[in-house]
Amino acid sequence: MRIFFDGTLEASSRRCASHLVEKAGEAIRDRGCFSLVLSGGSTPGSLYALLTKEPYRAAVDWRRTHVFWGDERCLPPDHTDSNYRLARESLLDHIPVPPEQVHPMPGDVEPEEGARQYEAIIRDFFCSRSRREPCCFDLILLGLGADGHTASLFPGDKVLEERQKLVVAVTPPPNVRPSVSRLTLTLPLFNKGRNICFLVSGRDKEQAVAAVLRGGTESKTLPGAMIRPTGDCYWFLSECGSRLAE
Ligand code: 6PG
């Protein structure tokens, strides 16, 4: 695990973008394509915008990139709260990823059916490639909520114990907005990732970041602390790391 602190989200997004470029190059060199899982929420918006500009835009072979999502709100793809819409408007509309290589989560069908459909999409993608490690994404972006949730894996949810399915439907806690069902990849799938990148910003996240990164009993119930990939895990932090120094 490596942890980077920057003074602003812009700076940590630049650092994360450089890391993504490096990992994309390695994936395409070693396996012929780059499987990227995007995160939701608002924080990644600045990273997505950076990736549409030089030097990052030309540094990734987008035509050999496949884009997936780690979670999605069960809403139409053009809804203002859709993770797909944020990524489409701030990234996908501005880079040459072939449309057939963009794999949005089906947020506009019955959630359990959406989870089944997306699991089939993921399995088909990896089975169509002679991959040594099935269902192993090259780079997974994640955020962290102030309650320690990541993707749509919320503290205390029974889906945290799921060990077979790759994608599940969840009902978020009542205080989480938007208050709609979600689709999320499961812990076993996240933890197969070659490279996990947490991009976290904001003072409201300080306590959760400190709890997750310090470990200990407090972290045992936090989904963010359950992300322990067999691959690398990088944290790109801004405005939320001061408690770690205590
Ligand atoms: C979602 C996200 C969620 C998000 C965190 C941080 O769909 O809401 O996947 O896990 O990453 O809640 O959200 P912000 O970046 O908006 O603070």
Side-chain angles (χ1 to χ4, degrees):
M1 178 187 296
R2 293 196 65 188
I3 304 169
F4 299 93
F5 298 99
D6 286 289
T8 63
L9 175 56
E10 169 76 11
S12 59
S13 298
R14 284 191 180 283
R15 196 189 293 270
C16 185
S18 298
H19 184 68
L20 183 149
V21 164
E22 179 190 343
K23 295 307 165 187
E26 286 176 11
I28 290 167
R29 182 195 65 216
D30 297 348
R31 290 174 295 279
C33 85
F34 174 45
S35 55
L36 170 63
V37 177
L38 298 181
S39 65
S42 56
T43 300
S46 63
L47 169 65
Y48 297 164
L50 272 177
L51 291 171
T52 67
K53 300 183 181 77
E54 303 311 341
Y56 309 104
R57 187 179 191 280
V60 177
D61 186 348
W62 296 110
R63 297 187 190 289
R64 298 172 79 175
T65 298
H66 283 256
V67 178
F68 297 82
W69 275 259
D71 72 319
E72 184 58 277
R73 293 86 182 269
C74 293
L75 292 165
D78 58 354
H79 191 285
T80 51
D81 286 331
S82 161
N83 289 336
Y84 166 77
R85 176 173 168 176
L86 169 73
R88 181 172 53 75
E89 291 180 343
S90 55
L91 175 62
L92 299 173
D93 283 350
H94 311 284
I95 57 175
V97 177
E100 66 275 15
Q101 294 176 199
V102 176
H103 310 281
M105 286 184 157
D108 49 357
V109 300
E110 190 276 325
E112 296 293 341
E113 173 57 21
R116 280 190 294 273
Q117 287 179 14
Y118 207 61
E119 175 146 344
I121 288 168
I122 291 172
R123 289 189 185 280
D124 288 350
F125 172 76
F126 284 104
C127 291
S128 65
R129 284 157 175 75
S130 55
R131 298 270 185 140
R132 287 191 303 279
E133 308 90 352
C135 300
C136 183
F137 288 109
D138 293 311
L139 191 143
I140 301 174
L141 292 170
L142 285 171
L144 188 75
D147 62 352
H149 82 259
T150 191
S152 286
L153 297 171
F154 295 95
D157 197 316
K158 65 183 182 318
V159 299
L160 293 170
E161 292 145 36
E162 177 59 53
R163 293 295 176 266
Q164 302 306 317
K165 293 178 182 173
L166 304 181
V167 188
V168 292
V170 302
T171 301
N175 60 321
V176 170
R177 292 292 174 272
S179 182
V180 295
S181 296
R182 313 286 181 98
L183 300 182
T184 186
L185 305 188
T186 56
L187 282 172
L189 186 51
F190 280 127
N191 283 327
K192 282 195 179 113
R194 283 193 179 82
N195 294 278
I196 300 270
C197 295
F198 279 93
L199 181 64
V200 186
S201 184
R203 299 235 175 281
D204 62 322
K205 316 287 180 73
E206 279 208 336
Q207 191 168 347
V209 166
V212 167
L213 292 180
R214 279 202 193 111
T217 48
E218 186 192 359
S219 70
K220 291 201 182 326
T221 60
L222 302 181
M226 300 173 189
I227 301 290
R228 288 282 181 267
T230 49
D232 290 330
C233 189
Y234 280 56
W235 289 75
F236 300 97
L237 302 173
S238 57
E239 304 164 37
C240 61
S242 63
R243 293 199 186 191
L244 273 173
E246 287 168 6

